[in-house]
Amino acid sequence: MWKKNFPDYRSYTSNNNDYRIDDFSELLRYVNHLASHKLGYPVSLLTYLGIVNNKILGIKSGTLANVLLNNVGDPFKDSETSLLEVKKHEREIIAILEKFYGLPLNEARGYVTTGGTEGNFAALWWSKRYLINQSLDTLIQKDNLIKLQQKEEQELETKLAKIPTNNYPDRIKYLQKTINIKNSIAENKNITQQLLTPTVFYCKNHTHYSIPKISEILRLNTRPVASNEDGSINLNDFKKEILLHTGAYPYSPVIAIANIGTTITGAIDNVPGMKQILTEMMTVPNYTIHMDGALTGFVLPIVKPFGNVANYFDAIGVNTLAVSAHKYPGLSQPCGIILAQKDFFNKAFEKSERSIEYVGNIVDVTITGSRSGLNVLMFYNALLSLGLDKNTNKLTKMVNENIENANYLYKKLIEIYGPEKIHYPHHFNVSFPRPSQELAKKYQLMLTGNNATICVLTNATKRLIDQFIKDLKFEKENTMTNTTIVGYTIQTLTEEYEKSAIDLFVKSFCDSEPITKHLRVSYQEYEPFAREVIQKAIKEGMSKIALDKQNRVIACAVAEDLADPFIPHVAHYPKLKSVFAFLRELSKPFLYGKKFIKGKIAHVWIAAVDPTYRGKGLSTEIDIACVEAAARKGYDFAYAEFTSELSERVTSQFKLLQLCNKINYNDFRWENDTKPFKGLQGTATSYVATIRPGVKLDSLPHCYTVSEKY
C-alpha cells in the first residue's frame, strides 16, 4: 500500500536522490485507484471525471492537481476510510520544520493552514483551551463552591422569610448573612469568568489586523500596547499594561502576540524581553506567547534576530508559531502552517470531545476541518526544492540575496530623496515617500499614509529595482510639485480632530473666503461660529477631513441632513449677521416653503483647505469624499452653496446638476437697503445634484413636502 511505502526524508542523505518523482507517481496511481472506487463521502469528483475541465487554468487531467485531496482534522491521525488524503506529507512538512526550528524529534504539532489569519486563529484558540485546561481544577472547585453557596443562599432566604417582620435582630442577622453569601457568589463567579476569558496583548497599529477580529470571535479581551518607532512592541508600555492588567484582573490569563516581521516595517518584537516581563509580573504563570511570523517567521533561523538559538520554542519561551507559506517560501496558493510544542498541544486538547466519527474518530484540532491536500503537496514540494530536508544552505543564500537587494534599493532611494526620508529598519522592507497612484499600481506598492513600502523578496531582482528607480526618477523630474499632494489621508471628522478642524475653518474663512474677508471678521469673532458648526458636524458623522502626516487637518468638508440644518446663534457672532442674510437669500429659491424628508438630501455647505495645499484638487477631493459617504448612507441628492469660484469647480464632477441661484456680491442689499459687500467682485451660487446612480433630478419633489401657505 502506498502509505506504508512512503519514504522518510531522513533516510535520504545523498544530494542526488530526488524521491519526489517516484513518490508523487506512486501517489497518483494510488489516488486514481481510490477515486475510481469512491462511494461513501459527499464529493462528486467532477474534475476527476472531466465534467469540469480545468485545462483552461493550466491544470492537466490525470494529475494530482485535478483530483480532490482532502486532509480532515488532525494530521497525526489518518482517516480509516476517507483515504483521498495526504496526511503523511503534512507530517513530513512538520518534521522538516521541527528540525529547522530546533525542536526535538517528534515534539512538534500543528497543521497546514490557509494562511496567516488561520494560523493566528488556531494559535489563539489553542492558547485559550490550554489556559483554561491549566486552570481546570480551580474552575471545577469554584463551580462546586458556587453551587453550594447558591444552595446556602436559598436556605438563608427561606429562613429570612419565616422570621417575623418585627424581629429586627434576627432579620438583620440573616439579611447580613444573605448579603455576604451573595457577595461571595459574585466574587467566585467573577474569578471563574476571568479564568475563562484570557486577555490578548498586541502591538497597536502593527500587529496583523486578524488578531482583534479573532479575539472578538473567541470572546477574548484585548489590550493594545504602544510601539517603538520601528514598529516593534514597546517593552516599557508592555510592562505597564501587564501591571495594570494583573492589578485589575488577577485571574485573567494572558496571550501575548509577538510579531516576527510586521507587514509594513518588518519589525521583529523582542520576544525574550516579553517573556521576561511576563515571568516577573505574573504572580501565576498563566500565559502563552504566540509568534505571528507571517513573513519573517519562515526564515527566523536564517536571520537570527535573537542570536544563535538551538530551539526557537524553549529558548525564547513561546508556545505557537504561525507562518504564511505564500509569502515565504512563496507558494502560488494562499497557504501557511501553525506549529506548537507537543506538551502544549496535548494540554490544549486533553479534554477534547471533537472527534469526527465518520472519518475514523479523528480529533478536529483545525479551524477549517477539511483542508486542501494540494496545498500540502505544494508546501512539501517547496521545502524539498529549497533542500530544507537536508540543510539550510539554499535558503540562507536566498535570504542573503534578498537582504543585499534591499540594501541596493535603499541606497538608490537615498540618491533620490536623501537619507532622512528613507526607512529601512529591518531585513526586507524599505519605505519611502509615496509616489503617484499610477506608479503604486504598476509596481503594487504597499501604501500607508505618506509612505510607500517595497518588500524585497526573491522576485525583486536588481533588474526590477532598476526599472522601478528609472520610472520613479522620471516621474519625479517630470511632475510639477505644485500639482500633486503626497501623504495625506481622508477620513470622517471625529472629536479627536475638533480643535484642528476649527483652526482650519477659522483661518480659511477669515483669511480667504470673499465675503468674510470683506467684512474683516477677526479670528476671535469667527471662532464661536466655527466651533458650533464643527461640534454639530461631529455628532452627525457625515463630514470628512484630510489629515497630513502629523494628523493635522488640512482640508474639511462639512455636511448635514437638509432636514436638520444648522441654526446659527447670531448673538454669539453678530458681525456675521449679513453673511447669514446673504446665504438665506442665495438658498431661498430652493429652500423656501419646503419641509425636507430626512435622509434624502445631504447639505454640503462648508469646505476649507489649508493654503499650502490649494490649487491641487484637494478641495474637490474632500467634497467628493463627503458626497460619496452621503450616497453610501442612502442620500439621493446633495445641495450646496458656493461663495468662492474656486470651490464651485467641484460641480464639474456631477453629471446631473441644477443651478438653483446666483447672486453678485456687490448687488446684495440688506437692512435699510444697504450693501454689506459693496465693491466686492464675484458671485455666489447654489446647486443641487444627484449623487446616486439611477436617481434623476425630476425625483426631487419626492424629497420634500410644500406648505399650503406657499
Side-chain angles (χ1 to χ4, degrees), residues 393-410:
N393 296 345
K394 190 171 183 178
L395 182 61
T396 300
K397 181 181 178 182
M398 191 177 295
V399 171
N400 289 339
E401 287 176 354
N402 298 157
I403 294 173
E404 180 186 335
N405 287 346
N407 272 290
Y408 178 76
L409 170 65
Y410 173 63

Side-chain angles (χ1 to χ4, degrees), residues 118-317:
E118 188 186 346
N120 288 337
F121 204 143
L124 266 64
W125 177 42
W126 293 357
S127 291
K128 182 179 180 179
R129 291 183 60 94
Y130 171 84
L131 292 166
I132 289 174
N133 285 340
Q134 263 202 327
S135 305
L136 202 56
D137 291 341
T138 305
L139 283 165
I140 293 171
Q141 180 188 6
K142 290 293 179 185
D143 185 58
N144 291 336
L145 180 57
I146 289 168
K147 289 174 182 176
L148 290 172
Q149 289 177 326
Q150 287 174 333
K151 184 179 179 181
E152 184 180 350
E153 179 189 9
Q154 290 174 351
E155 292 172 352
L156 286 169
E157 289 179 341
T158 301
K159 290 178 181 179
L160 182 62
K162 294 178 180 179
I163 299 172
T165 55
N166 59 354
N167 187 347
Y168 299 118
D170 283 352
R171 287 189 67 81
I172 291 172
K173 176 183 174 182
Y174 277 90
L175 185 60
Q176 185 60 55
K177 285 184 177 181
T178 304
I179 292 171
N180 290 343
I181 200 70
K182 284 181 181 289
N183 288 339
S184 183
I185 290 170
E187 182 181 352
N188 285 319
K189 283 185 175 180
N190 181 43
I191 292 171
T192 300
Q193 188 59 41
Q194 286 188 42
L195 289 170
L196 291 171
T197 314
T199 299
V200 179
F201 288 75
Y202 64 93
C203 188
K204 187 178 181 181
N205 298 329
H206 291 279
T207 291
H208 193 258
Y209 63 83
S210 66
I211 295 297
K213 174 178 67 177
I214 296 163
S215 300
E216 180 184 346
I217 295 169
L218 292 176
R219 296 189 177 183
L220 305 172
N221 296 321
T222 57
R223 199 155 190 145
V225 180
S227 63
N228 297 315
E229 189 175 349
D230 70 343
S232 61
I233 197 167
N234 185 301
L235 291 185
N236 289 331
D237 196 59
F238 180 61
K239 187 173 184 179
K240 181 198 77 174
E241 291 294 343
I242 292 291
L243 180 64
L244 292 172
H245 169 76
T246 53
Y249 308 102
Y251 296 94
S252 175
V254 165
I255 302 173
I257 307 297
N259 293 321
I260 308 299
T262 57
T263 304
I264 302 302
T265 66
I268 295 177
D269 289 336
N270 184 347
V271 185
M274 295 171 69
K275 168 72 174 178
Q276 183 178 349
I277 289 169
L278 288 167
T279 303
E280 293 173 355
M281 304 299 293
M282 303 272 303
T283 53
V284 180
N286 56 340
Y287 63 84
T288 64
I289 300 176
H290 168 57
M291 290 197 298
D292 180 3
L295 170 62
T296 316
F298 185 77
V299 296
L300 198 57
I302 308 299
V303 298
K304 299 180 180 180
F306 312 118
N308 290 317
V309 174
N311 181 326
Y312 274 88
F313 285 76
D314 282 343
I316 58 177

Side-chain angles (χ1 to χ4, degrees), residues 498-519:
E498 176 182 334
K499 186 178 182 301
S500 184
I502 292 171
D503 183 61
L504 172 68
F505 190 1
V506 170
K507 291 178 180 177
S508 294
F509 276 77
C510 290
D511 295 343
S512 306
E513 199 279 331
I515 57 178
T516 309
K517 185 178 179 181
H518 182 81
L519 295 175

Side-chain angles (χ1 to χ4, degrees), residues 525 528-529 532 567-577 580:
E525 291 169 325
F529 168 64
E532 290 177 12
I567 307 298
H569 299 85
V570 182
H572 297 172
Y573 23 82
K575 203 166 183 180
L576 297 178
K577 279 186 178 181
F580 298 127

Side-chain angles (χ1 to χ4, degrees), residues 48 80 196 216 258 267 279 340 347 519 526 547 554 634 636 643 677 684:
Y48 173 78
E80 293 178 4
L196 291 171
E216 180 184 346
T279 303
K347 186 70 176 178
L519 295 175
Y526 198 82
L547 299 171
I554 58 172
D636 292 331
T643 56
F677 310 117

Side-chain angles (χ1 to χ4, degrees), residues 651-669:
T651 57
S652 63
Q653 303 294 317
F654 298 94
K655 293 181 179 179
L656 298 176
L657 183 75
Q658 179 178 302
L659 177 66
C660 300
N661 198 12
K662 184 174 184 178
I663 302 177
N664 292 324
Y665 304 133
N666 188 61
D667 295 340
F668 175 65
R669 296 180 181 273

